[in-house]
Amino acid sequence: SYSFKGFRHIGQRLLHLELSISFLGLSHSLKENENSVLRDELLFLGGPASSAYALSPFSASGGWGRAGQLHPKGRELDAAAQPEGQLLREVRVLGVPFIPRARVDAWLVHSVAAGSADEAHGLLGVAAASSTGGAGASVDGGSQAVQGGGGDPRAARSGPLGAGEEEKAPAEPTAQVADAGGCASEENEVLREKHEAVDHSSQREENEERASARKENSLQQNNDDENKIAEKPDWEAEKTSESRNERHLNGLLASQPENSLEGISLGDIPLPGSISDGMNSSAHSHVNFSQAVSEDVNLHEAILLCPNSTFRRDPIARTSQSREPFLQLNSHTTNPEQTHPGTNVTGFLSPVDNHMRNLTSQDLLYDLDVNIFDEINLMSLATEDNFDPIDVSQLFDEPDSDSGLSLDSSHNSTSVIKFNSSHSVCDEGAIGYCTDRDSSSHHDLEGAVGGYYPEPSKLCHLDQSDSGFHGNLTFQHIFHNHTYHLQPSAPESTSEPFPWPGKSQKIRSRYLEDTDRNLSRDEWSAKALRIPFSVDEIVGMPVDSFNSMLSRYYLTDLQVSLIRDIRRRGKNKVAAQNCRKRKLDIILNLEDDVCNLQAKKETLKREQAQCNKAINIMKQKLHDLYHDIFSRLRDDQGRPVNPNHYALQCTHDGSILIVPKELVASGHKKETQKGKRK
DNA sequence: AAAAGCTGTCATGCT
DNA sequence: CAAGCATGACAGCTT
């Protein structure tokens, strides 16, 4: 979006700045606000990395950091690593603005030094004008970011993001930076000169050309917009969101006046219609940006900060149902009561009413907003760092779900519509999705795949007819070329709603990056389908709660199928883990048993040896006793009894007899024979 | 580069 | 009959 905010330390003070880029008639503002903590502002600016600075207000010096600085949350801001045209999509990733181009720094310095509202406005005008200018060599970095960061759907959709769009965008002469800056201080002059020295040579000519082109484009675009809107009230059935977005963004950009800082006051920013050469529709609207600055608003709110007359869809469409979840979503707002009075925020979440045919430029702006948000959300869904929209297209182009659901054209529309209906509900979550697992301020978002897990009681059910308007607009550009055709003979289990990133090496590497962040396959798919539940919830929930949850939420067949697949796989995964654990336990127990038995065997062996030893000892003692007894025995003739011929035999009555061994042997034989007979 | 291990998933049978 | 569990088999990835 279309504005950035930031702060920097001035001594002990924390100067809070907001530079709001114009957007389809919305003005730009600069707001100074001390001691405001601007965190998690979902502002972003992107642009071609070759010329972009990724500036972070969280730099250690309190000033504006540049690409490559380590964000306090641990993320490396590396704009230079972005390929040419690749946007710095850090929305929701860092929650900090990326401000391309170093001139912003000069403006900020200027504004700090100037310290007056007028000068601030002058600076603002510079920033805004240059931003809307689009492709200035250095100043337009912000504008490129605006376009690329979602302001221009073309940039967001076409190939390398933002590439090739520079030349089309109108430009603002660099000279205006100094001129509009008003009475800049010496410091600012130095900085400004320094910056100009860097890119002055080619900048002026380029910007002049683009300025003229922008003017022409502005007039033409405004006329086109008005004509097209007037001529084709049913444009929604004929135009794609892409073309609309292009048109309106062009109109927006073109409508920005070069002297747009006039009439802007702190906290009460008139829409640029009063200062623009067109876009009268929003000329009488005012935006109080002071609240937007001081409050902890998110990107959606920041962008949607607009008066009723500008963005209101239809007051009737604002329902308590739609408002409630939204307010809940913004529960982190520091002062909810001050949240954009007069701003029909819920109008953006509310269903489309029956007055859709009477679309105005504000309507289109709204659509553009939604589209952009969807773009942003989708882009940031997959990967934050090296996201490549081509991959997204690949993802959406690959075959259908393992549940056999198809995303063919007919099904697509339905899915898209429903899709967006849930998306509307979960918009905040999608936008405010926080990948920072340490962020406690977004605890309500954690765990939810889609970034937001609304309470079922507060869920807003949207009719398909209501959401169809946006659905077709917001996701057609995502799904429009997919080839989800269910093959009747195709095996049901070989495909998925969003193919698992293991089929292409490039995506696999992405997946591996994701897995490094503990993003599983199902989480990945659930994100892609914007399923508003976390995988853990889907898997761990009791079946009754699960079914009731599915019935309460308005989900597409695809989503339901994916959710059931996720639950099935999750259950089975746990079962497999338990099974393996049991198997391992069994193996370990068996190994323990083996060890125990081996130990027991050794013990028994030792005992046996000891017994044998004892037996031998006893035998020896018995032998000795035998010889001792026979040595003392004498026969009738007084001769010693030979122990080899006689044996001692005990009788039952305890008496001991000396029996010849022949008789003993025969007696044993008889006893054994008797025993056998018995 | 091969082998073993780990993990997720599917199919299937059972409860 | 739906849902879940258990488990063998397989594939992909890691070690």
Side-chain angles (χ1 to χ4, degrees):
Chain A
S1 171
Y2 332 98
S3 65
F4 63 84
K5 304 175 185 177
F7 58 83
R8 63 178 297 147
H9 292 281
I10 307 298
Q12 298 297 322
R13 299 190 309 166
L14 182 64
L15 180 64
H16 185 165
L17 290 172
E18 169 175 312
L19 296 180
S20 181
I21 311 266
S22 65
F23 181 61
L24 192 61
L26 272 185
S27 179
H28 5 283
S29 66
L30 183 144
K31 174 62 178 176
E32 296 181 357
N33 186 11
E34 294 184 16
N35 298 324
S36 293
V37 178
L38 189 63
R39 279 185 56 85
D40 295 327
E41 289 295 338
L42 305 176
L43 305 170
F44 69 99
L45 294 172
S50 60
S51 57
Y53 277 19
L55 300 177
S56 168
F58 291 100
S59 63
S61 62
W64 297 89
R66 291 189 177 183
Q69 284 189 330
L70 189 62
H71 187 271
K73 290 184 177 181
R75 293 290 303 275
E76 186 79 15
L77 309 182
D78 190 4
Q82 301 292 327
E84 178 69 26
Q86 177 83 25
L87 299 178
L88 301 176
R89 296 190 174 278
E90 291 293 335
V91 182
R92 289 178 293 143
V93 177
L94 299 177
V96 299
F98 273 81
I99 302 175
R101 301 308 176 95
R103 283 208 175 276
V104 174
D105 198 0
W107 302 340
L108 295 175
V109 173
H110 184 138
S111 66
V112 170
S116 68
D118 292 338
E119 290 176 356
H121 293 160
L123 292 171
L124 168 62
V126 172
S130 60
S131 298
T132 55
S138 66
V139 179
D140 53 16
S143 67
Q144 292 174 3
V146 170
Q147 296 176 15
D152 190 350
R154 298 169 302 178
R157 256 190 298 281
S158 59
L161 299 178
E165 294 297 322
E166 273 193 4
E167 299 303 327
K168 300 176 182 178
E172 193 67 22
T174 306
Q176 291 188 6
V177 173
D179 297 340
C183 50
S185 64
E186 293 181 2
E187 177 186 0
N188 294 328
E189 281 295 327
V190 171
L191 285 173
R192 184 169 54 82
E193 291 174 1
K194 185 169 65 177
H195 285 296
E196 288 181 356
V198 175
D199 50 15
H200 179 75
S201 58
S202 61
Q203 181 179 359
R204 183 178 300 273
E205 295 179 2
E206 186 178 0
N207 287 340
E208 287 177 356
E209 294 176 1
R210 289 170 180 170
S212 60
R214 192 178 66 84
K215 290 179 180 179
E216 296 177 1
N217 189 18
S218 174
L219 295 173
Q220 181 179 357
Q221 193 61 56
N222 288 325
N223 292 333
D224 291 345
D225 280 340
E226 294 176 1
N227 293 335
K228 289 178 181 177
I229 295 171
E231 293 172 357
K232 296 182 179 180
D234 290 333
W235 54 272
E236 61 174 294
E238 303 171 2
K239 297 287 185 178
T240 63
S241 60
E242 182 173 351
S243 61
R244 285 192 296 272
N245 291 342
E246 278 188 23
R247 213 157 29 90
H248 281 274
L249 188 61
N250 288 336
L252 156 70
L253 297 177
S255 66
Q256 287 309 311
E258 296 173 1
N259 57 347
S260 59
L261 47 143
E262 295 180 5
I264 300 174
S265 62
L266 285 175
D268 193 5
I269 310 301
L271 293 176
S274 60
I275 50 178
S276 68
D277 49 4
M279 303 308 296
N280 292 328
S281 59
S282 57
H284 31 282
S285 300
H286 294 263
V287 176
N288 188 346
F289 273 96
S290 62
Q291 293 179 353
V293 172
S294 60
E295 292 175 4
D296 184 16
V297 297
N298 58 32
L299 176 59
H300 206 168
E301 293 175 85
I303 293 175
L304 301 185
L305 278 175
C306 55
N308 292 334
S309 58
T310 302
F311 283 96
R312 181 177 58 203
R313 304 279 307 165
D314 187 353
I316 302 174
R318 179 171 50 182
T319 61
S320 60
Q321 273 188 324
S322 60
R323 172 181 286 274
E324 187 174 5
F326 180 84
L327 294 177
Q328 181 195 2
L329 294 173
N330 297 280
S331 60
H332 60 282
T333 302
T334 54
N335 190 353
E337 294 180 359
Q338 297 178 358
T339 304
H340 333 306
T343 299
N344 187 1
V345 179
T346 56
F348 293 88
L349 301 177
S350 60
V352 177
D353 55 84
N354 294 327
H355 305 289
M356 292 304 295
R357 295 180 183 274
N358 299 326
L359 291 173
T360 63
S361 60
Q362 288 79 18
D363 294 317
L364 301 179
L365 172 59
Y366 165 65
D367 296 333
L368 179 56
D369 270 338
V370 174
N371 282 326
I372 292 168
F373 274 117
D374 290 337
E375 292 267 1
I376 296 167
N377 297 337
L378 184 68
M379 292 305 174
S380 56
L381 282 177
T383 59
E384 293 85 352
D385 289 336
N386 301 319
F387 180 73
D388 186 354
I390 298 175
D391 288 347
V392 172
S393 63
Q394 291 176 353
L395 297 176
F396 287 91
D397 284 343
E398 292 197 30
D400 54 358
S401 138
D402 58 350
S403 296
L405 290 178
S406 170
L407 274 179
D408 58 15
S409 57
S410 60
H411 183 86
N412 178 28
S413 61
T414 302
S415 296
V416 163
I417 291 170
K418 294 180 178 179
F419 218 132
N420 196 58
S421 66
S422 62
H423 157 67
S424 297
V425 174
C426 306
D427 221 356
E428 163 68 10
I431 294 170
Y433 184 82
C434 183
T435 58
D436 184 1
R437 298 177 184 277
D438 298 332
S439 175
S440 59
S441 61
H442 294 81
H443 59 87
D444 55 333
L445 301 180
E446 287 182 354
V449 173
Y452 166 54
Y453 178 39
E455 295 181 11
S457 60
K458 296 185 178 181
L459 180 66
C460 176
H461 296 266
L462 298 179
D463 293 338
Q464 180 170 322
S465 59
D466 291 335
S467 56
F469 168 65
H470 297 137
N472 282 324
L473 298 184
T474 55
F475 278 92
Q476 268 185 349
H477 63 274
I478 300 173
F479 290 96
H480 60 280
N481 271 335
H482 67 64
T483 55
Y484 297 117
H485 294 292
L486 178 62
Q487 301 298 331
S489 60
E492 188 177 71
S493 61
T494 56
S495 56
E496 299 178 21
F498 289 90
W500 179 227
K503 300 177 180 177
S504 105
Q505 189 64 37
K506 188 175 181 180
I507 302 178
R508 180 182 296 124
S509 62
R510 295 282 167 77
Y511 162 66
L512 295 178
E513 294 176 2
D514 284 342
T515 55
D516 292 341
R517 304 175 203 143
N518 297 323
L519 195 63
S520 68
R521 165 198 185 182
D522 285 332
E523 289 171 343
W524 200 82
S525 300
K527 261 190 172 184
L529 275 184
R530 297 172 180 272
I531 290 175
F533 321 117
S534 71
V535 172
D536 292 338
E537 289 167 344
I538 293 172
V539 175
M541 188 177 298
V543 62
D544 294 338
S545 302
F546 177 74
N547 290 328
S548 62
M549 181 186 73
L550 289 182
S551 61
R552 282 201 302 270
Y553 282 74
Y554 193 83
L555 300 170
T556 66
D557 293 340
L558 192 64
Q559 286 177 308
V560 172
S561 175
L562 178 61
I563 289 174
R564 292 192 180 278
D565 287 341
I566 288 173
R567 184 174 176 87
R568 173 177 52 78
R569 281 193 290 263
K571 294 280 188 185
N572 188 248
K573 183 170 74 176
V574 175
Q577 290 171 349
N578 293 333
C579 181
R580 286 171 178 138
K581 193 180 298 179
R582 277 192 302 272
K583 186 183 291 182
L584 195 61
D585 289 340
I586 291 173
I587 292 173
L588 293 177
N589 289 334
L590 290 175
E591 288 177 353
D592 290 342
D593 292 343
V594 170
C595 292
N596 293 333
L597 291 174
Q598 286 178 344
K600 197 170 184 178
K601 179 182 177 182
E602 295 298 325
T603 302
L604 292 175
K605 280 184 177 179
R606 284 195 298 269
E607 290 178 357
Q608 183 184 25
Q610 290 177 355
C611 290
N612 290 334
K613 192 175 181 180
I615 289 172
N616 290 332
I617 292 173
M618 294 294 292
K619 283 182 178 179
Q620 185 62 40
K621 286 182 179 180
L622 183 62
H623 184 266
D624 293 342
L625 182 60
Y626 236 83
H627 282 275
D628 184 54
I629 292 174
F630 274 98
S631 64
R632 300 181 186 185
L633 289 178
R634 296 291 181 273
D635 57 7
D636 298 337
Q637 298 170 355
R639 292 176 299 182
V641 178
N642 189 354
N644 294 328
H645 298 161
Y646 295 92
L648 298 177
Q649 191 173 26
C650 295
T651 61
H652 294 290
D653 58 357
S655 61
I656 297 175
L657 302 177
I658 299 174
V659 181
K661 284 191 174 180
E662 293 82 6
L663 298 179
V664 173
S666 62
H668 280 298
K669 288 180 181 178
K670 290 178 180 178
E671 288 180 357
T672 54
Q673 288 176 357
K674 289 179 180 178
K676 289 180 180 178
R677 288 173 186 171
K678 290 178 180 179

